[in-house]
């Protein structure tokens, strides 16, 4: 159904633009690069025929409407993707196209063969035999998370506009900033968006349909030391870096990301920095179960209290805030969006793969703001790094799915 060349050209154009978000910024969006790219998408939305294209001042999102072409009233649906890329080199992205991949060969990403996609290391490659893959050149991420979703939504809307014989109700789309730094949907304007329910197109491989996410918190722990000459350190020095190491070693080793799977939560040491005088640990805390999530946060607080009791009040400072919650709490109350997506997948020969995502999406926050928003696949594999790739055929299927969902809602 999808115009393969149009979809690929659009995607390649998008990923070549650096839109990495900035976690140290206090602006919305966090980086001017995102603003520029969102402005370009606004022009493109107008060019393809979308209506009421606007930038929401509150959130930085670009919204656009595709008015209904039927008489009866049906639910207004939304499709959402984010434009920012993750915390990895995203400057000078040079996508490479591998046509008719055989499912077994090693793909050299750079000229020297230092970085490669090897099916023995990345077994998911084996399922893409006969397909066209888009990869990196080994020096950057690809940005298919989530520019694949942006390209798929844009292409699907263009297809619906060009084919008015496909009946649909009101559709609204949203392209937003800062998902990768966890703040993108903080100011999402549900009233302006106006959908009854929506889908983020921000998932991974073909068939992924997700409505269960982690509960998430961000934690910064600061250690204040006493720095003196090491020759005179006895009984006086308090080494902040050593305190940080000792603190981290109190966390259970079997509850790190690399040692957990399925619905098991974790503590993830995201960054460490320190000298004798001061040190800092940045963690993210994740768990699908709300009670276990709260227990994890309480454990961190307990450790901080113990260290301050042992080393003196104020030696350890804790900053912790919740980022998002498991959207299953909202969506399980009415599974209509899930049932519609499952039925649509079956109609376009996609086997639904429903599982708890070990992460979160903007849909997690948007669901709690009032618009149930599960997540659809967009196609990327090995996201957030130099080994990221995506299948063009999977992206085409994502376009087909968006169109079919739009068509099926009109028949409800």
């Amino acid at each position: 159904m999808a115009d393969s060349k149009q979809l690929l050209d659009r995607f390649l154009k998008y990923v070549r633009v650096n839109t990495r978000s900035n976690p140290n910024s206090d602006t919305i969006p966090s980086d001017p690069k995102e603003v520029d790219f969102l402005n370009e998408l606004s022009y493109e939305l107008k060019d393809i025929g979308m209506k009421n294209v606007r930038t929401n001042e509150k959130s930085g999102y670009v919204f656009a409407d595709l008015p209904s072409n039927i008489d009866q009233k049906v639910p207004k649906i939304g499709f959402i993707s984010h434009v920012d890329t993750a915390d990895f080199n995203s400057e000078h992205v040079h996508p490479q196209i591998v046509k008719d991949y055989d499912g077994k060969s090693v793909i050299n990403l750079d000229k020297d063969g230092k970085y490669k996609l090897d099916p023995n290391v990345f077994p998911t490659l084996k399922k893409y035999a006969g397909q066209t893959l888009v990869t990196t050149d080994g020096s950057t991420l690809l940005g298919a998370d989530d520019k694949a979703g942006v390209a798929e939504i844009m292409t699907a809307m263009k297809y619906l506009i060009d084919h008015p014989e496909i009946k649909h109700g009101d559709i609204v789309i949203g392209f937003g900033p800062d998902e990768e730094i966890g703040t993108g949907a903080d100011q999402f304007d549900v009233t302006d968006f106006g959908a009854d329910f929506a889908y983020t197109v921000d998932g991974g491989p073909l068939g992924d349909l997700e409505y269960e996410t982690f509960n998430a918190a961000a934690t910064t722990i600061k250690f204040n030391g006493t720095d003196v000459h090491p020759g005179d350190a006895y009984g006086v020095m308090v080494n902040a870096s050593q305190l940080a190491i000792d603190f981290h070693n109190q966390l259970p080793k079997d509850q790190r990301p690399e040692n957990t799977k399925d619905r098991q939560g974790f503590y993830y040491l995201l960054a460490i920095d320190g000298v004798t005088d001061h040190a800092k640990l940045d963690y993210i805390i994740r768990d699908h179960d709300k009670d276990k999530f709260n227990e994890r946060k309480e454990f961190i607080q307990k450790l901080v209290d113990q260290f301050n009791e042992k080393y003196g009040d104020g030696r350890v400072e804790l900053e912790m805030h919740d980022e998002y919650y498991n959207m299953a709490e909202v969506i399980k109350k009415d599974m209509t969006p899930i049932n519609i997506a499952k039925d649509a997948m079956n109609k376009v020969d996609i086997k639904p793969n429903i599982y708890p995502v070990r992460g979160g999406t903007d849909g997690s926050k948007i669901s709690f703001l009032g618009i149930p928003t599960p997540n659809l696949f967009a196609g990327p594999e090995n996201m957030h790094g130099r080994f990221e790739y995506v299948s063009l055929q999977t992206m085409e299927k994502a376009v087909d799915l968006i169109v079919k969902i739009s068509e099926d809602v009109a028949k409800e």
Side-chain angles (χ1 to χ4, degrees), residues 2 19 44 46 69 102 109 123-124 129 148 166 174 207 210 246 261 270 273 285 293 318 334 354 362 372 378 387:
T19 55
E44 186 174 353
K46 294 173 183 176
N69 61 4
D102 62 13
L109 300 177
T124 56
I166 299 176
E210 301 154 345
D246 294 344
K261 60 182 180 179
L270 195 63
D273 178 64
I285 301 170
F293 172 63
L318 173 64
D334 183 355
I354 301 175
D362 281 338
F387 301 107

Side-chain angles (χ1 to χ4, degrees), residues 14-264:
Y14 293 166
V15 298
R16 289 188 177 104
V17 182
N18 181 2
T19 55
R20 181 172 165 179
S21 45
N22 180 4
N24 300 314
S25 171
D26 57 4
T27 63
I28 302 174
S30 69
D31 196 284
K33 298 190 300 292
E34 296 178 271
V35 176
D36 292 342
F37 186 69
L38 287 164
N39 286 338
E40 290 300 317
L41 292 178
S42 294
Y43 299 140
E44 186 174 353
L45 286 164
K46 294 173 183 176
D47 286 343
I48 69 170
M50 295 292 286
K51 306 300 182 184
N52 192 24
V53 179
R54 68 257 188 216
T55 298
N56 184 271
E57 293 183 5
K58 183 178 178 183
S59 64
Y61 268 77
V62 170
F63 294 156
D65 298 331
L66 182 59
S68 172
N69 61 4
I70 58 176
D71 294 331
Q72 68 268 33
K73 183 174 176 58
V74 298
K76 183 177 184 178
I77 59 171
F79 296 98
I80 300 167
S81 289
H82 65 89
V83 303
D84 64 316
T85 57
D87 187 15
F88 194 83
N89 182 27
S90 56
E91 188 67 50
H92 305 302
V93 174
H94 298 292
Q96 301 186 116
I97 299 174
V98 181
K99 295 183 178 180
D100 298 320
Y101 177 61
D102 62 13
K104 57 185 179 182
S105 297
V106 173
I107 302 171
N108 288 320
L109 300 177
D110 61 318
K111 294 179 180 179
D112 298 329
K114 181 179 180 180
Y115 301 112
K116 57 191 68 178
L117 287 171
D118 186 339
N120 291 320
V121 179
F122 303 106
T124 56
L125 285 162
K126 299 174 184 178
K127 65 184 178 183
Y128 293 107
Q131 299 190 28
T132 296
L133 304 183
V134 184
T135 76
T136 76
D137 68 356
S139 65
T140 68
L141 48 62
L142 180 60
D145 176 17
D146 187 29
K147 288 171 182 170
V150 176
E152 290 153 6
I153 292 173
M154 189 76 79
T155 303
M157 295 302 104
K158 181 71 163 62
Y159 188 87
L160 288 171
I161 291 167
D162 290 345
H163 294 82
E165 70 277 7
I166 299 176
K167 301 305 177 185
H168 58 82
D170 288 326
I171 301 171
V172 58
I173 64 102
F175 296 141
D178 299 335
E179 191 268 356
E180 297 294 358
I181 60 173
T183 61
D186 286 352
Q187 303 297 324
F188 189 89
D189 193 330
V190 296
T191 301
D192 188 7
F193 194 64
D196 294 296
F197 59 87
Y199 301 93
T200 49
V201 185
D202 189 21
L206 180 70
D208 282 3
L209 173 58
E210 301 154 345
Y211 67 90
E212 190 174 353
T213 61
F214 275 140
N215 297 289
T219 302
T220 296
I221 304 165
K222 297 178 180 179
F223 301 86
N224 301 307
T226 300
D227 189 1
V228 298
H229 191 283
D232 301 319
Y234 184 81
V236 179
M237 177 186 284
V238 178
N239 189 333
S241 291
Q242 186 61 55
L243 288 184
I245 293 170
D246 294 344
F247 186 97
H248 180 68
N249 287 338
Q250 294 297 308
L251 297 176
K253 295 180 181 178
D254 63 345
Q255 295 180 34
R256 297 171 181 170
E258 62 269 32
N259 298 324
T260 58
K261 60 182 180 179
D262 301 327
R263 284 188 170 83
Q264 297 172 328

